[in-house]
Amino acid sequence: MSRPTQAVISRSALRHNAAIARQLAPHSQLMAVIKANAYGHGATAVAHALADHVDALAVACLEEALELRSAGTTLPILLLEGIFEPQELAVAAKAQLWITIENEEQLAWLERAKMPTPVQCWIKVDTGMHRLGFAPDAAGAALARLANSRNAAQAPVLFTHFADAETIGSEATATALAQFNAISTDAPRSACNSAALLTLPQAHFDWVRPGYLLYGNSPLDDPQENTRNLQPVMTLRSAISALRTIEAGQAVGYGCTWRADRRSIIATVPIGYGDGYPRSAPAGTPVLVGGKRVPLAGRVSMDMLTLDVTDLETVSLGDAVILWGAELPLREIASHAGTNGYELTTRMPQRTPRIIIDE
Ligand SMILES: *Cc1c(COP(=O)(O)O)cnc(C)c1O
């Protein structure tokens, strides 16, 4: 038998969540953000599953986009950070990618480039993240320069990215939206990530750009009406590979940090931080065995973790284990591990096989 550790990826859940995104913003075009290997889910598989369900894709960089093109993806693909050196421009144009222009230098590179064809540009505006983008009062001039450049395709998009969309009623978001609205142009616009798609219908504009939500997770602390129907796309699963009984006082795992306070049954599962399960998850973090919650016991190792299964009525070698998925929310594990669900799936390493299923 081969190692049972797998990340199961549901195509139907992806499509279901894309349909929810469409319902939330029925008058906007839908761009699926699949950067960082589709938040760890597998970019090629996700792009293929969503091909007929979204209007465009977005990734962080040229390498990610070219991988999708090699795999046959024909949808438009936006490079969210644009290009990092001018040589990338001709490659991007040839691959029919869309590029972000977020600073003066990128704009000048475009104006000076010798391009095979004009490229579709998205002008990014900094409305408070202070990470990328033109100041709001410089956006109009940037758009005017694109209009005069034969390297820029017609009708560039104006976009921004909120710093605090996950906080409902955030003042920073209200200010950001007001700044964005105050830019006078009839260019198409885009502002919403998942959190804003869920909470800010007045910011849906021409394009919405969800990532996290498409994978079946809500970035909001308070699940809302419209997030209850999301279906988690990834189920991280394994199976019990060893069982032993230890006496009260005996320890489990590296550092002997966990000690049994009674005669205990310890189950070993062949999944560890080398497979994307967070090492920071402490003893007590829930794991499902045969559909029942049991606590982690001892530290997570690179290739294994250990569970206290003493309270299960029956337990056997080979019993199915779920680390997160529909019955055990990613957000709950993330909160035990001191991080968010974005990081957990995005850090899923290559060693963990992605099993794509239709249901
Ligand atoms: C990552 C990203 C998104 C998607 O954010 P989610 O919170 O995953 O929906 C949207 N826009 C930009 C510019 C991004 O970098």
Side-chain angles (χ1 to χ4, degrees), residues 33 35 39 80 124 131 159 161 166 192-195 209-213 342:
V33 179
K35 61 196 179 192
Y39 297 35
L80 288 167
K124 186 162 194 182
R131 192 175 68 171
F159 83 116
H161 190 46
E166 293 171 29
C192 288
N193 60 359
S194 296
R209 312 184 310 267
Y212 197 53
L213 172 147
Y342 288 75

Side-chain angles (χ1 to χ4, degrees), residues 2-312:
S2 64
R3 195 164 183 254
T5 298
Q6 300 172 332
V8 180
I9 306 297
S10 162
R11 272 198 201 101
S12 69
L14 262 172
R15 292 174 181 152
H16 169 89
N17 300 329
I20 289 185
R22 282 241 191 255
Q23 282 165 20
L24 285 164
H27 307 297
S28 308
Q29 302 217 69
L30 177 57
M31 173 178 276
V33 179
I34 62 167
K35 61 196 179 192
N37 199 25
Y39 297 35
H41 293 69
T44 304
V46 168
H48 286 153
L50 291 179
D52 298 326
H53 302 264
V54 302
D55 303 300
L57 302 169
V59 296
C61 60
L62 184 66
E63 290 79 1
E64 291 181 335
L66 293 180
E67 191 184 322
L68 292 170
R69 284 283 179 259
S70 304
T73 304
T74 55
L75 282 171
I77 307 173
L78 173 65
L79 307 181
L80 288 167
E81 293 172 46
I83 51 157
F84 295 88
E85 51 177 28
Q87 291 81 342
E88 290 182 296
L89 271 173
V91 184
K94 219 167 145 202
Q96 297 195 303
L97 307 178
W98 295 357
I99 61 168
T100 293
I101 303 267
E102 66 87 14
N103 65 31
E104 171 59 37
E105 190 175 42
Q106 288 180 338
L107 182 53
W109 285 343
L110 179 74
E111 287 173 324
R112 282 190 234 120
K114 280 219 165 37
M115 303 278 280
T117 56
V119 64
Q120 172 67 42
C121 298
W122 283 46
I123 290 279
K124 186 162 194 182
V125 184
D126 180 3
T127 54
M129 182 85 90
H130 296 138
R131 192 175 68 171
L132 294 181
F134 291 93
D137 63 7
L143 285 168
R145 278 169 63 185
L146 288 185
N148 285 323
S149 168
R150 75 183 115 119
N151 290 334
Q154 302 282 308
V157 177
L158 189 71
F159 83 116
T160 192
H161 190 46
F162 295 124
D164 193 29
E166 293 171 29
T167 308
I168 294 168
S170 158
E171 238 173 77
T173 306
T175 306
L177 184 56
Q179 285 186 1
F180 190 58
N181 277 327
I183 300 168
S184 166
T185 168
D186 40 19
R189 290 178 194 247
S190 174
C192 288
N193 60 359
S194 296
L197 171 59
L198 287 165
T199 60
L200 281 185
Q202 67 274 36
H204 285 169
F205 299 117
D206 302 279
W207 285 92
V208 291
R209 312 184 310 267
Y212 197 53
L213 172 147
L214 296 175
Y215 309 108
N217 308 299
S218 168
L220 307 176
D221 287 334
D222 278 333
Q224 298 202 319
E225 192 62 48
N226 48 19
T227 62
R228 286 202 195 115
N229 296 326
L230 292 171
Q231 295 175 0
V233 170
M234 181 189 290
T235 302
L236 184 60
R237 73 180 183 197
S238 188
I240 293 178
S241 62
L243 280 167
R244 74 208 57 244
T245 301
I246 62 168
E247 300 304 325
Q250 292 188 310
V252 173
Y254 283 116
C256 304
T257 56
W258 188 91
R259 271 182 205 282
D261 56 11
R262 55 179 174 172
R263 192 160 205 261
S264 300
I265 307 172
I266 300 299
T268 303
V269 187
I271 180 169
Y273 60 83
D275 306 289
Y277 192 86
R279 184 177 179 278
S280 56
T285 303
V287 173
L288 290 182
V289 175
K292 300 224 162 56
R293 285 178 175 235
V294 297
L296 274 184
R299 281 198 188 137
V300 173
S301 331
M302 185 185 290
D303 310 311
M304 285 172 264
L305 53 76
T306 35
L307 306 173
D308 176 3
V309 294
T310 316
D311 290 334
L312 290 181

